[in-house]
Amino acid sequence: MARNLPGSGLTKTWQAGLAVIILAGWISLLSWQTLIYFKWPLKVFLLLFNLERFAPFEPQVFFLHWLSTLKNLLFLMAFILSAHGLGRILLEKIFPAARARLDEMLYSLGLGLALISLLVFLLGAAGFYHPAIFALIFAALTGAGTWITWKRRARLRPGSGWLLGTWAWSDKILILLVGGFCLLVGMAIITPEIFFDSLVYHLAVPSQWIQAGRIHSIPTNFYSNLPMGIQMLYTGALMLSDERLCRMLHALLGILAGLTTFSLGRRWFGRRAGLWAAGLFLTTPIVIINMLEAGADVGSAFFAVLAFHAMLAGVLKQEGGKNQQILAGLLVGAALAGKYTTAFMLMPAVLVVLFIMRRQGWKSLAGVLVRISLGAAILMMPWVIKNIVFTNNPIYPFLYNYIPSKYVVPEKMQKAMGQIREYGHRTMAQFFRLPWDRTFCLPTSYSYVGPVFLMLFPGVLLLAGYWRRGPPAYGVILLTVVFSALIWANRTQISRFYIPSLPLLAILSTYALDRWEQWHKVPALISRWTILAFLGWGWANTMAIGLSNWDPIGSTLGLESRSAYLDRKLMNSYAPMARAINRLPKNARILAWGETRSFYFQRPVTAPTVFDHNPLIELLAGSSNTQEVWQSLNKQGYTHIFIHSGEAVRTRGYETFRWNPAALERWRELSCQYLRRVVVYGQQVLYEIVSEPMTEKIIKHGRPLFTYDPEVVDKVIAHYSKAGQAIRQGRVNDALAEWMRMIELAPEWKDTYENLGWLYLKMKRPEETFKMYSRADELGWLTPAAYNNLGVQYMQRADYAEAQRCFALALEQAP
């Protein structure tokens, strides 16, 4: 007999029927939007799996690729064993308690990885960044960890049927979907790193420190003064192997975050709730996409959710006594040392825990806060001290307006801080629409979260009204999620900064699903299978994003070497220029302009970010003449200058410097009389700083596009894009019109004339071709192809001396 719910005249059957109708409408709406915004990527798969774009199979390439992959897998296992051994010792000696096997493993790995990170930091602070030294220490840690793990192998063995044996069919399919997402991760992480942020600082800063043999100040990269706990693991990995091991480490931290989510959900809401919470977290596209790179978001999320797990166990279960609170604090410190933004979740979590304990008296609350703070300080204090020594600001770059901080250019730092709020809401309606916008209206592919959380969001809201009736942990998790969401929404709204809170949101969502099932199985069954359908669709789209960005098929099948992969995937011939720089003498020191991705440079390179001071720009602006600029460069030890004009143009809007005639003339004189071109690749030029001025060198009086004001640059780029599109569509006259508009905006930029010369050549209009190429030659140095074409034009005019000059200049750049 159906029961009536309180305050309702409808029977449970009628309510279930009404719920199914409402649910069907909600699912239909989300499905429709999903089909519109995230189409089935069949064409992407057909393109990516088209092997004709690669060279024939080469056994040597295949063998070397998989040999290096096996080496990195062995090092990854060594990291796991070392961390487990270190953490296990700490857990037994300082934080003993009766815990589940999975919790023991997670705490051991979390503590061990945090200790390895701290060890690498101390080695760098002491000036011992030498691969041989670290290899010896790491070998000892691996040996000890292997022995401890072997002794506890029975304790670590999972029970029978833990994977597929005792689950319902929907649960088994969820496990298979998680496996599919992990397959994508496995395919992508065995390729070289190409993620921009990793090449700028996640890997680039550790690489520079390793080259110097110590941790040192990098004034031109403010990211180097952020906490770098995760990057310390990468530093150790780079002293043992290459960046692919770093990518594997970050993926490992993501898997551990999923296991922690499972353990947290299982403990408080049941085994199935834990499984689905972990499944939702590990199949969230933004999580998987971040696991595919050597970043910090997913890695710091592991420490954050493990810290939350430890806090709940200590407060609600009295597990581990007072030392459990220090354990939680250590993990809080590890999370904050990984990324400041974990505070969006951890700060509300600590306050909510203290609120739950409010009846124990203020002395007890103060004790809890002191123990958590003490544990956090142990792992955060090294970074605070480092920042004080290097910048005078313990939490650099924050509060730079109130704390006198070295290396801060206020206008640029204001822009850097503004980037954190780049997706901030403007109206109350936009604020409440945020869940919908973050699901469908994505600023980038890195913001893709899928529709599952939005689908379950009404159930979470409905259940929130009954939070006092749930398990003890439910209220803590709910309040933490609510307050962390409010902080995130008001501070940033960048999706990846919310990753540390996603495990808790996943637990709330699956708990709502379980309560839904207890009330009536039909709507719950519809919900579960719809979630699986959305996850399957999301898997295809995540595969398309992941494969499009990393495209590992060629290297995996032995059809593409490492260097060929980097040449293809890194834009604007960055990799060939890196190889040219790496062939320079060991004592070379390079000052880069435009290019900030310094990881693949094996020589000391100063690569200023757009948010930091630029030594070359400052010299050009502040010196009285060009010779003074040249002398200052020599005095600072620079031997070469690397200009990436394409990147300098792309980032021109961030640059606060305005070019005046004097600075522009100094740059013209410097590039023609004090710099010798060594290598030219497209929009990139590597100059050698000469020992004596070349007075006979002709000074070109054009202007690079990055010397124009940002407003002009933006307009020129817009016309350039339209011209390119017109060329691809065969609308030649439209392309000519766009390039003529570019000449009006930037009359001294030689690239427009060079492009027009090429177009007139294709149109078989020799007079216009010669005119445009000649004008471009007056303004600046041409590309080898342009010099070759201009040389042919001079030959047709019987001007053999000029033709010989053009051919010689072409050969000089591309011998």
Side-chain angles (χ1 to χ4, degrees), residues 565-585:
Y565 176 87
L566 289 173
D567 287 347
R568 179 169 62 88
K569 294 302 296 182
L570 287 179
M571 58 180 146
N572 299 330
S573 302
Y574 162 80
M577 183 59 77
R579 284 197 294 272
I581 288 175
N582 295 339
R583 288 194 293 266
L584 295 175

Side-chain angles (χ1 to χ4, degrees), residues 517-596:
E517 193 164 42
Q518 292 171 18
W519 177 66
H520 202 286
K521 290 189 177 296
V522 173
L525 196 62
I526 294 173
S527 298
R528 285 195 190 274
W529 285 98
T530 302
I531 288 171
L532 294 176
F534 279 142
L535 293 181
W537 197 273
W539 177 83
N541 281 278
T542 308
M543 281 283 285
I545 294 171
L547 293 180
S548 298
N549 287 343
W550 287 275
D551 195 7
I553 304 299
S555 59
T556 301
L557 297 178
L559 304 177
E560 192 173 38
S561 66
R562 174 186 173 85
S563 60
Y565 176 87
L566 289 173
D567 287 347
R568 179 169 62 88
K569 294 302 296 182
L570 287 179
M571 58 180 146
N572 299 330
S573 302
Y574 162 80
M577 183 59 77
R579 284 197 294 272
I581 288 175
N582 295 339
R583 288 194 293 266
L584 295 175
K586 293 288 186 181
N587 61 349
R589 188 182 179 202
I590 299 94
L591 174 57
W593 186 354
E595 185 58 72
T596 58

Side-chain angles (χ1 to χ4, degrees), residues 106-224:
L106 292 170
Y107 286 138
S108 297
L109 288 173
L111 288 171
L113 289 168
L115 285 176
I116 292 174
S117 173
L118 179 61
L119 171 64
V120 174
F121 174 86
L122 294 176
L123 286 174
F128 291 123
Y129 272 171
H130 300 286
I133 294 176
F134 182 74
L136 288 173
I137 296 173
F138 189 72
L141 292 177
T142 303
T146 303
W147 174 247
I148 292 171
T149 303
W150 176 257
K151 288 197 304 181
R152 298 185 56 81
R153 62 189 184 279
R155 180 70 177 163
L156 295 173
R157 189 181 301 121
S160 59
W162 67 277
L163 183 59
L164 292 175
T166 59
W167 302 102
W169 272 108
S170 58
D171 304 340
K172 293 178 181 179
I173 292 176
L174 175 68
I175 294 172
L176 292 176
L177 282 170
V178 171
F181 277 88
C182 291
L183 173 65
L184 168 61
V185 174
M187 290 172 62
I189 62 174
I190 58 176
T191 58
E193 183 61 272
I194 59 173
F195 178 51
F196 191 92
D197 288 4
S198 297
L199 303 185
V200 172
Y201 66 100
H202 290 308
L203 298 179
V205 170
S207 177
Q208 291 184 49
W209 286 343
I210 292 171
Q211 288 181 41
R214 60 188 175 86
I215 292 176
H216 61 90
S217 176
I218 305 178
T220 55
N221 191 332
F222 89 95
Y223 297 105
S224 66

Side-chain angles (χ1 to χ4, degrees), residues 669-686:
E669 293 177 359
L670 183 72
S671 62
C672 292
Q673 293 189 335
Y674 296 87
L675 304 178
R676 183 180 67 84
R677 289 183 301 164
V678 179
V679 183
V680 178
Y681 280 111
Q683 296 179 319
Q684 300 174 95
V685 184
L686 178 63

Side-chain angles (χ1 to χ4, degrees), residues 13-88:
T13 303
W14 274 100
Q15 289 178 352
L18 182 61
V20 168
I21 294 172
I22 296 173
L23 183 63
W26 181 236
I27 291 172
S28 298
L29 176 61
L30 296 181
S31 301
W32 173 52
Q33 292 294 294
T34 300
L35 289 173
I36 291 175
Y37 288 99
F38 312 116
K39 302 181 185 298
W40 188 258
L42 180 60
K43 291 182 179 179
V44 176
F45 287 130
L46 293 176
L47 175 65
L48 292 172
F49 286 92
N50 177 17
L51 302 183
E52 294 179 357
R53 57 201 173 101
F54 299 114
F57 174 76
E58 296 183 27
Q60 183 179 5
V61 173
F62 178 84
F63 176 76
L64 290 175
H65 170 76
W66 283 103
L67 185 64
S68 65
T69 300
L70 178 61
K71 176 193 70 174
N72 285 326
L73 286 172
L74 291 175
F75 277 129
L76 180 67
M77 182 58 65
F79 264 99
I80 294 173
L81 292 171
S82 301
H84 182 262
L86 276 175
R88 187 65 231 167

Side-chain angles (χ1 to χ4, degrees), residues 136-457:
L136 288 173
I137 296 173
F138 189 72
L141 292 177
T142 303
T146 303
W147 174 247
I148 292 171
T149 303
W150 176 257
K151 288 197 304 181
R152 298 185 56 81
R153 62 189 184 279
R155 180 70 177 163
L156 295 173
R157 189 181 301 121
S160 59
W162 67 277
L163 183 59
L164 292 175
T166 59
W167 302 102
W169 272 108
S170 58
D171 304 340
K172 293 178 181 179
I173 292 176
L174 175 68
I175 294 172
L176 292 176
L177 282 170
V178 171
F181 277 88
C182 291
L183 173 65
L184 168 61
V185 174
M187 290 172 62
I189 62 174
I190 58 176
T191 58
E193 183 61 272
I194 59 173
F195 178 51
F196 191 92
D197 288 4
S198 297
L199 303 185
V200 172
Y201 66 100
H202 290 308
L203 298 179
V205 170
S207 177
Q208 291 184 49
W209 286 343
I210 292 171
Q211 288 181 41
R214 60 188 175 86
I215 292 176
H216 61 90
S217 176
I218 305 178
T220 55
N221 191 332
F222 89 95
Y223 297 105
S224 66
N225 290 311
L226 298 175
M228 286 200 158
I230 304 296
Q231 288 83 353
M232 287 296 96
L233 297 176
Y234 299 160
T235 305
L238 291 174
M239 284 191 280
L240 296 171
S241 183
D242 56 30
E243 78 284 353
R244 288 170 288 188
L245 177 57
C246 303
R247 302 185 71 193
M248 290 180 178
L249 278 169
H250 197 227
L252 170 68
L253 293 173
I255 298 297
L256 292 177
L259 289 173
T260 306
T261 305
F262 169 73
S263 180
L264 180 61
R266 179 184 65 175
R267 179 160 197 175
W268 298 104
F269 304 100
R271 185 167 176 250
R272 196 182 193 198
L275 172 71
W276 278 76
L280 293 190
F281 174 73
L282 287 174
T283 56
T284 303
I286 189 177
V287 173
I288 293 297
I289 292 170
N290 276 271
M291 284 172 63
L292 296 177
E293 61 207 20
D297 293 287
V298 173
S300 56
F302 161 60
F303 292 107
V305 71
L306 190 60
F308 185 86
H309 189 15
M311 277 191 283
L312 275 191
V315 172
L316 299 181
K317 291 288 188 181
Q318 301 298 312
E319 180 183 281
K322 294 181 178 179
N323 281 358
Q324 180 79 6
Q325 296 155 14
I326 299 177
L327 169 62
L330 284 170
L331 295 169
V332 168
L336 293 173
K339 194 147 189 173
Y340 279 136
T341 51
T342 55
F344 293 168
M345 186 270 274
L346 291 172
M347 184 171 62
V350 172
L351 294 177
V352 170
V353 165
L354 293 176
F355 174 76
I356 295 295
M357 299 177 63
R358 64 190 183 280
R359 295 180 181 176
Q360 297 184 20
W362 68 269
K363 289 185 179 180
S364 178
L365 297 183
V368 171
L369 186 59
V370 166
R371 284 185 283 272
I372 292 177
S373 301
L374 177 63
I378 292 173
L379 293 179
M380 270 300 292
M381 194 54 64
W383 300 105
V384 171
I385 294 172
K386 168 185 166 293
N387 278 357
I388 292 174
V389 173
F390 286 168
T391 71
N392 290 337
N393 184 346
I395 53 173
Y396 182 94
F398 300 104
L399 301 181
Y400 65 91
N401 286 323
Y402 307 98
I403 303 174
S405 306
K406 296 180 182 177
Y407 315 129
V408 170
V409 181
E411 299 84 358
K412 290 190 173 188
M413 194 56 66
Q414 186 175 2
K415 284 194 173 185
M417 296 296 100
Q419 293 302 298
I420 299 177
R421 295 181 59 86
E422 62 180 318
Y423 306 124
H425 68 276
R426 295 182 177 88
T427 65
M428 189 63 69
Q430 288 174 319
F431 179 81
F432 286 109
R433 206 179 62 209
L434 196 56
W436 182 273
D437 290 344
R438 275 295 160 267
T439 301
F440 296 115
C441 306
L442 307 181
T444 67
S445 61
Y446 282 81
S447 304
Y448 181 29
V449 296
V452 172
F453 287 110
L454 183 61
M455 175 191 163
L456 294 172
F457 189 60

